[in-house]
Amino acid sequence: MDLINEAREMKRLNVWKWIGIIALISWQWIPTLALAQAPVLTYQGELRESGQPFTGTANLQFLLFDQPSGGSQIGSVQNRPNWPVNGGQFQVELDFGLAAFDGSDRYLEVLVNGNPLTPRQRVTAAPYALRAASTAPGAVDGNAIDSSEV
């Protein structure tokens, strides 16, 4: 009888050991998943018609380029048909994909009802980021960051 109880106890301990190992492995992924940021931009704009704030709906298109004029389009066109505009104000979220932002300059072109607004607007980095997606090889070394700035 003792041999049977001992075998059951060993089996129970093995199950708990595997549960612990799986939990430990899963726990290591949680911070990585929590810090990953989607490449979504929030864009706020103002539309005026004859100098007055526009209220109604507008067909909006957003294109990303690598130059302030001409240049190559980056990513796909972001369409927002019949988008609400209230008191001249509107807000959209745009996702051109993570590959669109490799550290190079980017410029946003906005079309309203098919008409481009000029000039294109330069997309600038956020003043506060939770985590950088990547760095260029060799961009940061042990001497690059002053410990008093951390």
Side-chain angles (χ1 to χ4, degrees), residues 43-58:
Y43 179 83
Q44 296 175 335
E46 180 179 22
L47 293 178
R48 293 181 170 270
E49 187 173 55
S50 302
Q52 298 300 312
F54 174 77
T55 295
T57 60

Side-chain angles (χ1 to χ4, degrees), residues 16-124:
W16 282 109
K17 180 175 82 174
W18 281 109
I19 289 173
I21 289 170
I22 291 169
L24 181 62
I25 291 170
S26 299
W27 185 256
Q28 290 177 333
W29 286 99
I30 290 173
T32 303
L33 295 174
L35 291 176
Q37 300 298 308
V40 176
L41 300 174
T42 299
Y43 179 83
Q44 296 175 335
E46 180 179 22
L47 293 178
R48 293 181 170 270
E49 187 173 55
S50 302
Q52 298 300 312
F54 174 77
T55 295
T57 60
N59 295 316
L60 304 176
Q61 290 181 300
F62 301 88
L63 297 90
L64 194 64
F65 286 88
D66 62 355
Q67 299 293 321
S69 63
S72 299
Q73 182 179 333
I74 309 294
S76 60
V77 176
Q78 304 284 302
N79 292 301
R80 301 297 183 272
N82 301 314
W83 199 259
V85 181
N86 189 6
Q89 306 291 309
F90 69 92
Q91 178 175 312
V92 296
E93 289 189 351
L94 306 171
D95 186 352
F96 293 101
L98 189 58
F101 299 99
D102 62 1
S104 302
D105 287 344
R106 297 292 183 244
Y107 298 86
L108 186 66
E109 182 172 285
V110 180
L111 287 85
V112 179
N113 297 326
N115 300 308
L117 303 180
T118 56
R120 290 178 184 161
Q121 298 175 29
R122 184 168 182 254
V123 178
T124 56

